Amino acid sequence: MNKILFFAHLRDEAGEESVMLEASGKTVAELKAFVAENYGIHKLDTAMAAINEEFAPNEEMIKEGDVIAFIPPVSGG
Amino acid sequence: MNKILFFAHLRDEAGEESVMLEASGKTVAELKAFVAENYGIHKLDTAMAAINEEFAPNEEMIKEGDVIAFIPPVSGG
Amino acid sequence: MSDRYSRQTLFPRIGREGQDKIKSKHVLIVGAGALGSGNAEVLARAGIGRLTIIDRDYVEESNLQRQQLYTEEDVAEKLPKAAAAKMRLEKINSEVEIEALIGDATPEVMAGLIGDVDLMIDSTDNFETRMAINDISQKYRIPWIYGACVASFGMSFTIVPGVTPCLNCLLKAVPLQGLTCDTGGIIGPAVQMVIAHQTAEALKILVEDFDAVRPSLVSFDLWRNDYTSMKMSRAKDPGCLSCGQNPEYPYLNEANRMKTAVLCGRDTVQIRPPHASTVDLQEMSGNLSALGYEVKGNPYLLSAEMSENRFVIFRDGRALIHGTKDVAQAKSLYQRLFG
Amino acid sequence: MSDRYSRQTLFPRIGREGQDKIKSKHVLIVGAGALGSGNAEVLARAGIGRLTIIDRDYVEESNLQRQQLYTEEDVAEKLPKAAAAKMRLEKINSEVEIEALIGDATPEVMAGLIGDVDLMIDSTDNFETRMAINDISQKYRIPWIYGACVASFGMSFTIVPGVTPCLNCLLKAVPLQGLTCDTGGIIGPAVQMVIAHQTAEALKILVEDFDAVRPSLVSFDLWRNDYTSMKMSRAKDPGCLSCGQNPEYPYLNEANRMKTAVLCGRDTVQIRPPHASTVDLQEMSGNLSALGYEVKGNPYLLSAEMSENRFVIFRDGRALIHGTKDVAQAKSLYQRLFG
């Protein structure tokens, strides 16, 4: 199983701080698509992803037990 | 073994960010006395101690593997 | 050395040597909104030698809630932010040389300013300008510090050419419809928190303590008591068009920029994003209503009006900003909504 | 509702209802130094109804490096900090009712101010005053927010009577010789970071979102890129003399306070800490030299002089502050060195 954490407004959209999912074997891009569809999150494609607190590119493969965080870049200033 | 973390000026006094020690069986107060003497740290008795990121009183017994942090209260403002 | 910086020279990582370095440096602050005014104040108080501040807006009432250099009088006089900032900063520290530029921070303008600049601090409100700062940073080998906030959330990342990944490695493209302060709101503490991170990184770079520069992207949510560091060593993309082996600096190129045109005789500026996209008109309508706009719409477009602001947004991101011929002001309004 | 707070009411956890609550509240800020001036500015911009600020010092040149409400003119005029803060805050937000008190924040003075206060924000530079704030908080059931910083390090903890442990649970006694800004130095970003945490907590309490209040003590080091949260649920001491079952509020008691006496005919104030202790005279000598003092000493005492400041410190913590009959100023100098 994998823990998926949402940050900033993604958390409001998901309605939860985190969810548990079976994501091992998926790439980051595939997980983004899956989560966007199943949890009704818009604009997840432009969010940054971290695996175990380290930046992960879209092609990266997720392993069993990895913790994935989605952090949306924000623009205000 | 136990990891002992130093914060703020305690780190300057210890000359290290952290040290590894055998501390299980000691109370927090006993560990403070031991560390103060062996690492030349002044005023450790007034520092707050956390075990595994949770505040620990002086009487608390340390267990194998616990991570202990010493955080000195500061006064500036 | 005067007594003025004594509490800072007492800090061993700065010391008197570091203070002399700070005094000899020149920082470009892009934007004089919440982050820009705060960053400028901290650096002016710290004794920076020279500050260049560029901003295209004037002080508005809704800025006062979080933009720390400005007063009610600045609003009454409709002072440009850069000018109002300079006046206050000179009262705070008359030893600092301050250049205030009122206008749009286009890639050309920024490249023209960069001469002896040692560091750029991002205090802008949109990713188009950030990507241009990022390309200039790579092309001229000048570090910059990304910072942004919305609601109770914020983030910061320090980019050192040749050492860290760059913003284009992380984002690959300008993210459209990031939340902005005009759509998600913003609280003062989140601004202060980003300023704390940006100015700490700035001081490290100014005293040339590069080993201390934060290697991770920090993000936080002060209302939810979150604080996360994302390690960035693996983010560097060797094929990145901004910092890779064959850089093209794409955001210095006209093709990747917002297109603007003044529509003759109509007192209107047309804005077209560089790449077509799909705006969620329903969400935008809700955001604009919350801001106090009167909004009308249909499936193809949305028109909004509040006091002197009046504009139309189409589904592909194109917009008509009515009642102005000033391109910088029109872009400002657009980017405050779309990021 | 005016446009002024629109970006704050857009933030869903505040909204218009929260904004009305903020407007109806009264905050006491103890101290108008670095933390006090920053906290006051953020809350004034956020639209707090009433602020009471108490401080015993006047604006000095070495304050300008980090104390955000003050200017070179305030230094030239030697304005009391509370008065200078009020003047600037009124230009920032004329809707806020501000009471500025120039004097020492003794337990009696604070107890007299507490009437309709909803929240106290610690912006002081010494633990004696913090322990008194803590006892007043427990006795009158008013939350307070501890904040402190030195060098690039800082911490904050929110104390809600009946819910969280109190400062006396954590510290048991006034820690002597904590590092202060006068002995360890201080950088502006560390100040901003503490302010970010204190004002975020303040807004949560003011809008009565108590579930969001941070349950842990935060500490950070911006130069070393550290950020730690220490959970506090187990820190509550049922026998605590401030918040336990049989509270005695020891720090409202004369016996636990610094003793001061004006020495007749000698233009000198004597200060004696409540409990004898041993001052490390050698370390103190180094600190004072670094601050610019001319220091002489022997194994029993140390004398230090810089412009109008002249004092003697004995090994047991007693001190003679020469050249003044003003007890508040003498205590201020003493506590800036000993915390």
Side-chain angles (χ1 to χ4, degrees):
Chain A
M1 288 296 274
N2 299 88
K3 189 172 190 176
I4 320 288
L5 300 164
F6 300 112
F7 285 85
H9 54 276
L10 299 181
R11 196 176 285 185
D12 298 318
E13 291 188 44
E16 328 229 17
E17 205 173 299
S18 67
V19 296
M20 295 299 293
L21 272 186
E22 192 59 73
S24 65
K26 283 192 168 72
T27 64
V28 167
E30 286 164 355
L31 177 63
K32 277 184 179 176
F34 179 84
V35 169
E37 194 170 319
N38 288 273
Y39 293 86
I41 302 183
H42 294 79
K43 306 167 208 162
L44 193 58
D45 53 331
T46 60
M48 293 177 285
I51 299 182
N52 306 327
E53 301 189 348
E54 190 155 340
F55 181 90
N58 270 328
E59 315 77 61
E60 181 101 358
M61 190 73 79
I62 294 160
K63 292 194 291 291
E64 170 61 24
D66 282 349
V67 175
I68 294 95
F70 290 122
I71 303 178
V74 293
S75 179
Chain B
M1 289 296 274
N2 300 89
K3 190 172 191 177
I4 320 288
L5 301 163
F6 300 112
F7 285 85
H9 55 276
L10 299 181
R11 196 175 286 184
D12 299 318
E13 292 188 44
E16 326 228 20
E17 207 173 299
S18 67
V19 296
M20 295 300 293
L21 273 185
E22 192 58 76
S24 65
K26 283 193 169 69
T27 64
V28 167
E30 286 164 355
L31 177 63
K32 278 184 181 177
F34 179 83
V35 169
E37 195 172 316
N38 288 274
Y39 294 86
I41 302 182
H42 295 79
K43 307 167 206 163
L44 194 59
D45 52 331
T46 61
M48 293 178 284
I51 299 181
N52 306 326
E53 301 189 347
E54 190 155 341
F55 180 89
N58 269 328
E59 314 77 61
E60 182 101 355
M61 190 74 79
I62 295 160
K63 291 191 292 291
E64 170 60 26
D66 281 350
V67 175
I68 295 95
F70 290 122
I71 303 178
V74 292
S75 178
Chain C
M1 167 99 37
S2 80
D3 191 51
R4 177 163 196 150
Y5 306 111
S6 60
R7 302 318 186 258
Q8 193 162 283
T9 54
L10 260 178
F11 175 60
R13 308 294 283 264
I14 295 183
R16 289 186 177 232
E17 204 187 323
Q19 192 65 44
D20 289 340
K21 284 184 179 156
I22 293 170
K23 171 82 185 156
S24 74
K25 300 289 167 80
H26 180 189
V27 174
L28 170 61
I29 296 183
V30 185
L35 296 178
S37 60
N39 282 316
E41 177 158 357
V42 173
L43 292 185
R45 290 192 182 275
I48 185 72
R50 230 175 119 195
L51 275 184
T52 299
I53 303 171
I54 179 165
D55 193 281
R56 62 191 170 192
D57 292 325
Y58 56 89
V59 186
E60 293 177 271
E61 196 190 10
S62 66
N63 301 150
L64 293 178
Q65 167 251 349
R66 67 197 179 284
Q67 302 191 7
Q68 73 186 59
L69 293 170
Y70 311 125
T71 62
E72 292 177 350
E73 205 181 314
D74 298 328
V75 174
E77 294 181 17
K78 284 201 171 218
L79 282 184
K81 286 185 183 177
K86 180 178 156 83
M87 286 199 311
R88 174 71 183 165
L89 292 167
E90 282 171 345
K91 289 185 182 158
I92 288 169
N93 193 345
S94 57
E95 293 170 5
V96 182
E97 205 181 309
I98 297 163
E99 195 176 358
L101 295 163
I102 300 157
D104 205 11
T106 63
E108 291 73 24
V109 167
M110 288 194 285
L113 292 175
I114 213 68
D116 66 349
V117 162
D118 298 286
L119 170 69
M120 297 183 284
I121 300 186
D122 161 32
S123 301
T124 182
D125 59 0
N126 67 86
F127 276 115
E128 182 171 314
T129 307
R130 286 193 182 93
M131 286 302 215
I133 295 173
N134 188 61
D135 274 353
I136 287 174
S137 156
Q138 293 298 329
K139 188 169 175 186
Y140 299 94
R141 316 304 282 173
I142 299 164
W144 73 284
I145 305 166
Y146 164 49
C149 48
V150 65
S152 54
F153 183 80
M155 49 178 51
S156 178
F157 180 52
T158 307
I159 290 149
V160 181
V163 178
T164 67
C166 79
L167 193 67
N168 200 10
C169 292
L170 308 190
L171 301 184
K172 311 288 187 200
V174 172
L176 249 158
Q177 302 187 52
L179 272 189
T180 71
C181 302
D182 278 37
T183 54
I186 176 75
I187 58 170
V191 173
Q192 298 296 314
M193 185 87 166
V194 174
I195 291 166
H197 284 84
Q198 289 188 295
T199 53
E201 294 302 295
L203 289 177
K204 293 172 190 178
I205 289 172
L206 295 172
V207 304
E208 299 163 21
D209 188 0
F210 285 95
D211 289 342
V213 168
R214 187 182 293 270
S216 53
L217 182 148
V218 159
S219 64
F220 64 83
D221 190 324
L222 278 170
W223 210 275
R224 285 159 167 152
N225 308 320
D226 267 346
Y227 189 92
T228 311
S229 287
M230 176 158 62
K231 290 190 205 83
M232 279 294 166
S233 43
R234 288 173 55 217
K236 185 144 179 101
D237 174 3
C240 175
L241 291 179
S242 294
C243 76
Q245 278 130 9
N246 298 300
E248 291 175 11
Y249 311 120
Y251 296 97
L252 304 184
N253 190 321
E254 280 284 350
N256 285 310
R257 274 185 240 170
M258 188 176 286
K259 306 293 180 297
T260 55
V262 181
L263 302 190
C264 296
R266 286 186 56 192
D267 206 16
T268 291
V269 176
Q270 175 177 269
I271 292 182
R272 193 186 286 278
H275 306 290
S277 65
T278 310
V279 174
D280 184 335
L281 291 178
Q282 207 172 348
E283 186 187 11
M284 184 53 64
S285 166
N287 289 336
L288 290 169
S289 299
L291 273 174
Y293 279 91
E294 198 175 313
V295 186
K296 287 182 225 163
N298 61 42
Y300 311 103
L301 62 82
L302 181 155
S303 82
E305 183 164 359
M306 181 170 61
S307 55
E308 65 262 55
N309 290 330
R310 201 160 55 82
F311 58 86
V312 174
I313 295 168
F314 298 88
R315 274 190 60 192
D316 63 357
R318 188 166 63 92
L320 298 172
I321 317 289
H322 297 300
T324 183
K325 286 178 186 123
D326 181 333
V327 169
Q329 288 306 320
K331 277 174 75 178
S332 170
L333 179 65
Y334 187 89
Q335 292 182 319
R336 276 193 272 157
L337 296 171
F338 289 96
Chain D
M1 167 99 36
S2 81
D3 191 50
R4 175 162 196 151
Y5 305 110
S6 60
R7 302 315 186 262
Q8 192 162 284
T9 55
L10 259 178
F11 175 59
R13 308 294 284 265
I14 294 183
R16 291 188 175 231
E17 203 187 323
Q19 193 64 45
D20 290 341
K21 283 184 180 157
I22 293 170
K23 172 83 186 153
S24 74
K25 299 289 167 79
H26 180 190
V27 173
L28 169 61
I29 297 182
V30 184
L35 295 178
S37 59
N39 281 316
E41 177 158 357
V42 173
L43 292 185
R45 291 193 183 276
I48 184 71
R50 229 175 121 195
L51 275 185
T52 300
I53 304 171
I54 178 165
D55 193 279
R56 62 192 171 191
D57 291 325
Y58 56 90
V59 185
E60 292 176 270
E61 196 190 9
S62 66
N63 300 150
L64 293 178
Q65 165 252 349
R66 66 196 180 284
Q67 302 191 8
Q68 75 186 57
L69 294 170
Y70 311 126
T71 63
E72 292 178 350
E73 204 180 316
D74 298 328
V75 175
E77 296 182 15
K78 284 200 170 222
L79 281 184
K81 287 185 182 177
K86 179 179 157 82
M87 285 198 314
R88 175 70 184 167
L89 292 168
E90 283 172 345
K91 288 185 182 156
I92 288 169
N93 193 343
S94 58
E95 294 171 4
V96 181
E97 204 181 310
I98 297 163
E99 194 175 1
L101 295 163
I102 300 157
D104 205 12
T106 63
E108 291 72 26
V109 167
M110 290 194 284
L113 292 175
I114 213 68
D116 64 350
V117 162
D118 298 286
L119 170 69
M120 296 183 284
I121 300 186
D122 161 31
S123 300
T124 182
D125 59 0
N126 68 86
F127 276 115
E128 182 171 314
T129 307
R130 287 192 181 94
M131 286 302 216
I133 295 172
N134 187 61
D135 273 353
I136 287 174
S137 154
Q138 293 298 329
K139 187 169 175 184
Y140 299 94
R141 316 304 282 174
I142 299 164
W144 74 284
I145 305 167
Y146 164 49
C149 47
V150 67
S152 53
F153 182 80
M155 49 178 50
S156 179
F157 180 53
T158 308
I159 290 148
V160 181
V163 179
T164 68
C166 79
L167 193 66
N168 200 10
C169 291
L170 309 190
L171 302 183
K172 311 290 187 198
V174 172
L176 248 158
Q177 302 186 52
L179 270 190
T180 70
C181 301
D182 277 35
T183 55
I186 177 75
I187 58 170
V191 173
Q192 299 295 315
M193 184 88 167
V194 175
I195 291 167
H197 285 84
Q198 288 189 297
T199 52
E201 294 301 295
L203 289 177
K204 294 171 190 178
I205 290 172
L206 295 173
V207 304
E208 299 163 22
D209 187 0
F210 284 95
D211 289 342
V213 168
R214 187 182 294 270
S216 53
L217 182 149
V218 159
S219 65
F220 64 83
D221 190 324
L222 278 170
W223 210 274
R224 285 159 167 151
N225 308 320
D226 268 345
Y227 189 92
T228 311
S229 286
M230 174 159 65
K231 291 190 204 81
M232 280 294 167
S233 44
R234 289 174 54 220
K236 188 147 176 97
D237 174 4
C240 175
L241 292 178
S242 294
C243 76
Q245 277 131 10
N246 298 298
E248 291 175 11
Y249 311 121
Y251 296 97
L252 304 185
N253 191 321
E254 280 284 350
N256 285 310
R257 275 185 239 169
M258 188 177 286
K259 306 294 179 299
T260 54
V262 182
L263 302 189
C264 297
R266 286 185 55 192
D267 206 17
T268 290
V269 176
Q270 175 178 271
I271 292 182
R272 193 188 285 278
H275 306 290
S277 66
T278 310
V279 174
D280 185 333
L281 291 177
Q282 208 173 345
E283 185 187 11
M284 184 54 64
S285 167
N287 289 337
L288 291 169
S289 299
L291 273 174
Y293 280 91
E294 198 174 312
V295 186
K296 285 180 226 164
N298 61 41
Y300 311 103
L301 61 83
L302 182 155
S303 81
E305 183 165 358
M306 182 170 62
S307 56
E308 64 261 57
N309 290 330
R310 200 161 56 80
F311 58 86
V312 174
I313 297 168
F314 299 86
R315 275 190 59 192
D316 62 357
R318 188 166 63 92
L320 297 172
I321 316 291
H322 296 301
T324 183
K325 288 179 184 120
D326 181 334
V327 169
Q329 288 305 320
K331 278 174 75 179
S332 170
L333 179 65
Y334 186 90
Q335 292 183 320
R336 276 193 272 155
L337 296 170
F338 290 96

